[in-house]
Amino acid sequence: MQHEVPERSPKPELLSRRSFATVAGGALVALGVGQGLARSAEAQAPPGPQAAAAAADGPYTQAFLTQYEKIKNPANGYFSPDGIPFHSVETLIVEAPDHGHQTTSEAFSFWIWLEAAYGRVTGDWAPFNKSWEVAEASIIPPHIDQPTNDSYSPAKPATYAPEHPQVTSYPSELNPAVPVGSDPLAAELASSYGTMDVYGMHWLMDLDNVYGFGNKPGTGDELGPGKMASFINSYQRGAQESVWETVPQPSTDLFKYGGPNGYLDLFVKDASYAKQWKYTNAPDADARAVQAAYWALTWARAQGKESQVAASVARAAKMGDYLRYSMFDKYFKKIGNCTSPTGCQAASGRDAQHYLLSWYYAWGGSTGTGGGWAWRIGDGIAHQGYQNPLAAWVLSTVPALVPKSPTAKGDWQKSLTRQLEFLRWLQSAEGGLAGGCSNSWDGQYGTPPAGTPTFYGMAYDWQPVYHDPPSNNWFGFQVWCMERVAQCYYVSGNASAKTVLDKWVAWAAEHTTVGADGSYRFPSTLGWTGAPDTWNAASPGANAGLHVSVVDYGNDVGVGAALAMTLIYYAAKSGDADAAGLAKALLDAMAGHADAQGIAVPETRRDYDRFDDPVHFPAGWTGTSPQGVKLGAGTTFIGMRPWLKQEPGWSKVQAYLDGGAPPVFTYHRFWAQAALALSFASYAELLADEGGPGGGDDTTAPTIPAGLTVTATTSTSVTLSWTASTDDTGVAAYDVYRDGTPVAGPTATSYTDSGLSAATAYRYRVAARDAAGNASALSTEVTGTTKAGTGTGGAKVQYKNNDTGATDNAIRMSLKVGNTGGGALSLSTLTVRYYFTGDGGPSSYTTWCDWAMLGGANITHRVVAMSSPKAGADRYLEVGFTAGAGSMAAGGDSGEIQLRVHKSDWSNFNEADDYSRGTNSSFTDASKITAYVGGELVWGMEP
């Protein structure tokens, strides 16, 4: 249950009574850094006995224990009756899982890490061992749930089926004529462990069995509806498939539910279908579990208790052995320059190994009836957010964690080098990490656009794996990766890790602000332009043409905890006082949002307007779910999941679907709550756990800034000035607040706030801060109103084609609109037209905005028939913007808008002759798409 009234920590001394801030330019004033870095000499080596146990009464250790106790308190609802962590306490949540009482291998890995930290603090290792035992009994499929592995042939690991960018192109036909390589791991794994079974976590379980498949671990069966933990799966239909378009299916499909072939013929087209089991592994979660086991081993050894964790550590080493499947191309084809399914050669040995952590590996087989068989696949797509150089270092360096297989140590040694090269290759000019690479363009070994840079022959992809929304636009992937890089740097001193960290930390700090009132923000959505240089290991390029921008900011506590963790480990090794101070400031600010169940902040969920989106089913396919829901044409996301309407909070979603305001929820995700606890524990261990947050002798705050005045305005900026404050040790910086949110921290007594909307009033206040982190109260408030924009403004349109097929049943594109005028442009005055031909069929059309940087609810779209058809155009898709889309500053743009058009009967188009269509797969100026401001044509040529 959600608690509406926040409950403060039972130990208020854990929370800072003073306020801390960073400046927008990255010049952070350290907070208690004298204490924090007094131990930096100790931190130059991997933790030993001196770092093994934190002071039991230290404030950050106590913050860890308080958070840990909230997570483990049965009344707070983090665990199922079987003792398995839920994805979130709240059930009405749709993201990667589509129900809060599902769980992921991600949640398990954070649980294992949480219990390792608890063992360090208390010396009690029983909970750590228990977490591994539960994982092995549930989310790691036992033999009965993967029964036909003995029939697996490493010479023929799987039959090729192409992936497709769009959901509507599925099922995908199996093609045995395409050559596949051989699996070099299976024999040595079987020899090492005496079994052909795979030891890895399946990524998704339905702990309340809301879908009713009843794939209970240890049964190998579909037991149907009822209370039990159940293996399930989703995401099977290409890069454009979002959670809103998935058809969840059982991991063991015995054809009891779905259609005549269960759910199999939704995804794969074959001559006949056999009942089967299948699992998918998320490599970042397994690698995190290995990472956690390393810390448990290190801390237990320092306590003289290594033997107590030995069995669990051995499980982690075994998991790391099988995790190498994520280093291979999906069909074990040669790595590099694969530009056609038949032209890309089958590989043997290590030729198919890219040595990165890819998005997944998977395995499956028959249920044993009608003949046994099994298959395994890797993945040729690697995302920066999944890399874990610490796990690679551990699995190749720490004897107790080096896997049994004879080639494992060498594989992980090479992976460590390759991962760090990969991150260096993807680092933008500013410091953020771009997306990743693919050995199989579009999932079908296609030909990348001309000029696409490569990494060991694999093509650069700014949004690897999924496109709705673009996969590398979430800042969370940045911090998840970089906390591992920082830990690798801490334990090994790796110079390549430090090179990436130095630049990334400076960039992240520049865009992170903690205010004098405890508010905080950091990047949330990122934008990407350009591309990296083709990788040259002997002479890495500078990536001067690859750029990242911050589209918007957020305060998600899980992301904030990972950012703090990155800063903690980086500061502990490098001695960087600014990073240490920023970590402390973030932890203290997030602690101010404590409630009875943990630490959480409200979230506005504009994406929940997609609950009533239709889900694609192949023409003629019909089926029934275990709950009796009819599946097929016309089934919507919520229609497939009617139980969500019974969950607490649904009324807010329904009001939004009916035209009301976007719903606001406060979520307690297990991974985020565990990450917060871990960040408190890490700060206590590595930097400071004495004197309380904000410790130090200086407790005198500066005087309040006086005379705050608006000295100038333009249509996009407000300039402020104020009288200098005084302080006993000197003022270090000022914190500028716009409408209650910290936006900057200049050292001077003036500031220009730019990038604003025209003709808009903004409220400002300022606080002063000294070097010890003492902050004044806020100044009196002033209002600055920007001037009106000049003229109607100008615009341009950029376009990219999201669908390589010209004769299927959809038109798919992405648009981006830029402001070329001299002032801010109100988006509600702007419309865009894309011209096409209907090619017969019905006169009615359905349009979708699949994703937009501005939020899909702020985009309008409709098809309009032209009164006078032209060559290549008898109608157009008209795209507009609601008032909620706001304004574009001069030189700004709308960000990507992903659009889709279907005929009402889903018949095919012939787009080859459409006036506005292009074949470019990256954004290009589009002169045959028109833009209008206030009804006046300002861009493009009408047909």
Side-chain angles (χ1 to χ4, degrees):
M1 292 291 293
Q2 210 169 301
H3 290 259
E4 299 298 331
V5 180
E7 177 182 285
R8 292 291 178 179
S9 165
K11 288 184 174 290
E13 68 271 15
L14 302 183
L15 307 178
S16 174
R17 298 177 186 274
R18 297 180 293 164
S19 302
F20 312 101
T22 69
V23 300
L28 172 76
V29 176
L31 312 171
V33 170
Q35 293 179 343
L37 296 185
R39 297 169 59 184
S40 63
E42 295 177 4
Q44 299 304 308
Q50 74 277 9
D57 59 351
Y60 291 98
T61 298
Q62 285 298 318
F64 163 76
L65 290 171
T66 297
Q67 181 73 356
Y68 178 90
E69 289 161 5
K70 289 180 180 180
I71 295 170
K72 297 300 289 287
N73 183 348
N76 283 337
Y78 284 98
F79 286 84
S80 76
D82 296 317
I84 300 172
F86 292 127
H87 172 65
S88 72
V89 171
E90 297 76 23
T91 48
L92 181 56
I93 184 171
V94 179
E95 37 202 32
D98 57 29
H99 187 270
H101 281 190
Q102 293 169 4
T103 196
T104 60
S105 54
E106 168 192 276
F108 263 93
S109 65
F110 274 100
W111 181 29
I112 292 168
W113 191 4
L114 177 71
E115 300 296 7
Y118 183 76
R120 180 188 71 81
V121 171
T122 66
D124 180 2
W125 293 100
F128 171 74
N129 292 326
K130 181 67 174 179
S131 66
W132 272 102
E133 291 164 5
V134 173
E136 196 167 66
S138 56
I139 203 163
I140 300 172
H143 174 73
I144 194 173
D145 294 310
Q146 46 174 327
T148 50
N149 277 309
D150 286 344
S151 300
Y152 175 64
S153 172
K156 299 177 180 179
T159 302
Y160 171 78
E163 297 176 24
H164 300 283
Q166 298 299 329
V167 171
T168 51
S169 299
Y170 283 80
S172 181
E173 188 165 9
L174 292 168
N175 187 350
V178 174
V180 300
S182 59
D183 171 1
L185 297 184
E188 70 171 31
L189 288 167
S191 175
S192 297
Y193 300 103
T195 178
M196 284 292 285
D197 291 348
V198 172
Y199 191 83
M201 291 189 282
H202 175 60
W203 86 277
L204 185 63
M205 293 181 71
D206 179 2
L207 299 184
D208 285 355
N209 198 26
V210 292
Y211 280 103
F213 297 127
N215 279 179
K216 184 177 181 179
T219 66
D221 201 355
E222 276 187 297
L223 301 177
K227 284 290 184 180
M228 67 187 79
S230 173
F231 287 121
I232 64 170
N233 211 344
S234 59
Y235 296 103
Q236 298 286 302
R237 301 190 291 183
Q240 193 61 43
E241 183 185 38
S242 74
V243 65
W244 303 103
E245 298 163 294
T246 57
V247 181
Q249 73 261 201
S251 292
T252 296
D253 196 333
L254 302 181
F255 301 174
K256 292 182 180 179
Y257 308 108
N261 302 305
Y263 291 78
L264 301 181
D265 51 358
L266 292 173
F267 314 117
V268 175
K269 185 177 181 180
D270 200 1
S272 62
Y273 297 88
K275 299 172 183 178
Q276 58 189 270
W277 53 270
K278 54 194 184 300
Y279 301 102
T280 303
N281 177 276
D284 74 317
D286 284 35
R288 189 182 292 111
V290 171
Q291 173 184 345
Y294 164 72
W295 289 119
L297 173 66
T298 301
W299 296 326
R301 179 179 291 160
Q303 297 168 355
K305 297 181 179 180
E306 181 177 352
S307 63
Q308 294 186 21
V309 300
S312 297
V313 168
R315 291 185 178 103
K318 181 179 180 180
M319 184 174 284
D321 219 345
Y322 288 85
L323 183 56
R324 292 182 295 154
Y325 272 115
S326 69
M327 299 180 184
F328 285 83
D329 175 77
K330 182 173 182 177
Y331 293 104
F332 297 90
K333 287 175 171 285
K334 286 190 174 181
I335 297 299
N337 306 309
C338 282
T339 55
S340 75
T342 54
C344 186
Q345 299 179 39
S348 60
R350 265 44 191 173
D351 288 348
Q353 197 166 3
H354 48 66
Y355 295 96
L356 301 171
L357 293 183
S358 59
W359 195 254
Y360 70 92
Y361 73 81
W363 73 107
S366 68
T367 60
T369 58
W373 47 267
W375 54 266
R376 298 180 192 181
I377 57 175
D379 187 19
I381 300 177
H383 191 295
Q384 65 83 11
Y386 266 32
Q387 304 314 301
N388 192 326
L390 175 65
W393 180 85
V394 165
L395 292 165
S396 61
T397 305
V398 180
L401 279 156
V402 172
K404 289 183 180 180
S405 293
T407 63
K409 180 175 182 177
D411 282 347
W412 284 111
Q413 284 176 332
K414 190 164 185 177
S415 178
L416 172 61
T417 299
R418 188 64 55 87
Q419 287 185 50
L420 291 172
E421 287 182 319
F422 184 57
L423 300 180
R424 170 65 182 82
W425 175 60
L426 292 171
Q427 192 156 36
S428 64
E430 293 77 18
L433 302 175
C437 67
S438 174
N439 196 54
S440 178
W441 193 257
D442 277 345
Q444 49 191 268
Y445 301 101
T447 302
T452 299
T454 58
F455 179 78
Y456 288 98
M458 296 179 288
Y460 169 68
D461 189 346
W462 73 276
Q463 52 173 355
V465 186
Y466 64 86
H467 298 168
D468 184 13
S471 66
N472 202 47
N473 284 15
W474 182 50
F475 181 69
F477 275 136
Q478 301 281 318
V479 290
W480 270 5
C481 177
M482 292 308 295
E483 73 175 10
R484 304 160 191 156
V485 177
Q487 290 186 39
C488 181
Y489 168 56
Y490 175 74
V491 300
S492 69
N494 186 288
S496 297
K498 184 178 187 299
T499 297
V500 174
L501 279 162
D502 286 346
K503 191 171 183 179
W504 188 92
V505 167
W507 168 73
E510 179 182 355
H511 292 283
T512 300
T513 308
V514 184
D517 60 351
S519 60
Y520 61 94
R521 71 172 195 171
F522 35 72
S524 178
T525 306
L526 305 176
W528 298 93
T529 57
D533 302 325
T534 288
W535 178 249
N536 182 343
S539 180
N543 287 349
L546 174 62
H547 296 286
V548 60
S549 60
V550 178
V551 176
D552 57 40
Y553 293 83
N555 61 352
D556 179 271
V557 293
V559 173
L563 174 57
M565 186 84 76
T566 304
L567 297 168
I568 288 164
Y569 277 92
Y570 176 71
K573 184 67 173 179
S574 68
D576 188 309
D578 287 356
L582 181 52
K584 183 185 192 314
L586 277 172
L587 292 179
D588 293 345
M590 289 188 292
H593 294 273
D595 60 29
Q597 291 171 288
I599 296 173
V601 295
E603 304 173 24
T604 301
R605 295 302 299 259
R606 291 182 174 84
D607 60 323
Y608 281 7
D609 64 353
R610 298 187 65 177
F611 265 98
D612 53 7
D613 277 8
V615 177
H616 175 74
F617 287 86
W621 194 96
T622 60
T624 305
S625 78
Q627 310 288 19
V629 176
K630 298 299 182 183
L631 307 175
T635 302
T636 62
F637 177 89
I638 187 61
M640 194 185 304
R641 304 160 173 88
W643 53 85
L644 290 176
K645 291 187 176 182
Q646 308 305 316
E647 305 291 0
W650 175 257
S651 61
K652 295 190 290 186
V653 177
Q654 188 62 58
Y656 183 38
L657 295 174
D658 293 339
V664 177
F665 289 92
T666 300
Y667 288 123
H668 296 79
R669 298 173 180 85
F670 184 91
W671 79 264
Q673 300 303 311
L676 283 160
L678 289 161
S679 61
F680 288 132
S682 296
Y683 190 87
E685 178 196 6
L686 300 177
L687 294 181
D689 203 17
E690 307 89 21
D697 295 331
D698 181 7
T699 59
T700 302
T703 60
I704 301 171
L708 178 61
T709 305
V710 175
T711 58
T713 61
T714 70
S715 61
T716 60
S717 68
V718 172
T719 299
L720 306 166
S721 69
W722 56 90
T723 301
S725 297
T726 59
D727 182 72
D728 57 341
T729 61
V731 174
Y734 296 89
D735 300 313
V736 179
Y737 288 75
R738 181 210 307 139
D739 295 335
T741 300
V743 293
T747 56
T749 56
S750 63
Y751 173 70
T752 297
D753 190 20
S754 58
L756 306 177
S757 299
T760 303
Y762 296 94
R763 297 175 292 109
Y764 293 93
R765 302 178 81 180
V766 178
R769 175 170 36 84
D770 66 16
N774 302 302
S776 73
L778 291 167
S779 70
T780 55
E781 183 177 279
V782 298
T783 298
T785 301
T786 53
K787 295 179 179 177
T790 57
T792 60
K796 75 171 185 177
V797 180
Q798 291 188 311
Y799 160 94
K800 70 172 181 177
N801 189 327
N802 290 339
D803 184 5
T804 55
T807 57
D808 57 19
N809 63 7
I811 299 173
R812 304 177 184 87
M813 75 196 79
S814 287
L815 302 179
K816 186 186 293 184
V817 186
N819 180 4
T820 59
L825 175 62
S826 174
L827 282 165
S828 63
T829 67
L830 176 70
T831 55
V832 176
R833 293 178 182 176
Y834 175 97
Y835 297 88
F836 66 96
T837 55
D839 306 304
S843 59
S844 58
Y845 293 79
T846 305
T847 61
W848 281 275
C849 176
D850 287 326
W851 184 83
M853 192 80 73
L854 293 169
N858 292 319
I859 311 299
T860 64
H861 37 88
R862 61 174 183 155
V863 170
V864 178
M866 296 172 61
S867 57
S868 300
K870 308 290 184 181
D874 57 17
R875 60 204 70 223
Y876 54 83
L877 170 66
E878 183 179 81
V879 182
F881 303 85
T882 69
S887 299
M888 269 194 300
D893 65 53
S894 65
E896 184 170 0
I897 305 167
Q898 296 180 359
L899 297 156
R900 181 159 45 101
V901 180
H902 291 278
K903 299 178 187 179
S904 59
D905 67 352
W906 293 81
S907 60
N908 288 344
F909 292 93
N910 180 4
E911 299 178 66
D913 62 348
D914 286 357
Y915 178 78
S916 294
R917 184 178 189 265
T919 58
N920 49 292
S921 59
S922 58
F923 279 114
T924 303
D925 288 356
S927 61
K928 292 187 176 182
I929 300 176
T930 54
Y932 305 81
V933 174
E936 177 184 349
L937 178 67
V938 296
W939 171 266
M941 298 175 293
E942 296 176 339

